[in-house]
Amino acid sequence: MSKETEKQRWQRNFADLLQELRVAQTGVQILFAFLLTLPFSNGFTRITEFQRDVYIVALLAAAAATAMIISPVAFHRALFRQGRKPELVRFAHRMASGGLAFMLISMVSAVLLITDFVLSRPVAFLLSAVTALWFLAFWVILPFARRGWGDDEIDDDDDDPQVLAGD
């Protein structure tokens, strides 16, 4: 079995990132679409000022997440056939990470908005905090905790964010 070249590795890293972005993009687009239609629903006129502010945070965070998660496509178009795959992979990694952060803010804000609308505010804050911790556990804590585990013989540098970021 032949060892892949550096160019092949960057190409594989980019393909892996694109696949990850497809998953995230679907989720953020569904959330964004929901938030875009919410003001046109009948009950939206009954929201409080606090709920309106939370809605704006959720909407803007979803917009930011959408822009960041889709941006590697535009970046790829701009750099197409210029042999700058390493730069593209590093950029896509940063945009995916930032997009996930904005997606987290949007998801938690949407949960806060809805729970505050149907439950008491203290319960809404509690459920939103639990939601934030849940996302952080699966998106940050567990992945970073797992970084040091596993077989030492497996070369998994291509999935290491610091390698992707060029650090």
Side-chain angles (χ1 to χ4, degrees):
M1 183 165 104
S2 65
K3 181 122 172 102
E4 70 181 348
T5 66
E6 185 175 350
K7 183 177 180 180
Q8 290 169 326
R9 190 177 120 218
W10 283 113
Q11 183 61 38
R12 183 175 48 80
N13 286 342
F14 184 63
D16 289 348
L17 267 169
L18 285 181
Q19 187 60 31
E20 293 168 9
L21 289 171
R22 283 184 191 106
V23 172
Q25 182 180 19
T26 301
V28 76
Q29 285 177 326
I30 291 169
L31 176 61
F32 194 34
F34 162 74
L35 291 168
L36 287 172
T37 61
L38 194 57
F40 302 103
S41 64
N42 291 334
F44 195 77
T45 57
R46 298 183 318 206
I47 66 170
T48 66
E49 189 174 329
F50 171 76
Q51 291 166 344
R52 186 200 65 216
D53 293 345
V54 171
Y55 168 77
I56 294 299
V57 168
L59 180 69
L60 294 177
T66 301
M68 292 183 87
I69 288 171
I70 295 173
S71 70
V73 174
F75 203 83
H76 181 257
R77 290 292 88 209
L79 298 182
F80 188 66
R81 295 191 182 255
Q82 291 188 6
R84 295 168 62 186
K85 193 71 72 176
E87 182 181 353
L88 177 59
V89 170
R90 286 189 287 271
F91 173 82
H93 168 69
R94 288 184 190 106
M95 292 300 104
S97 298
L100 286 174
F102 278 114
M103 192 171 174
L104 171 68
I105 293 166
S106 186
M107 296 282 246
V108 172
S109 297
V111 167
L112 178 57
L113 172 65
I114 293 165
T115 55
D116 190 65
F117 188 78
V118 298
L119 302 169
S120 69
R121 181 143 312 147
V123 173
F125 278 128
L126 175 65
L127 292 174
S128 299
V130 168
T131 300
L133 290 173
W134 188 254
F135 275 94
L136 288 171
F138 286 102
W139 288 6
V140 179
I141 297 166
L142 288 175
F144 282 96
R146 293 258 318 144
R147 286 176 59 158
W149 298 1
D151 190 353
D152 291 336
E153 294 181 26
I154 296 174
D155 181 16
D156 211 16
D157 284 345
D158 58 300
D159 292 332
D160 184 343
Q162 290 189 345
V163 171
L164 291 174
D167 297 339

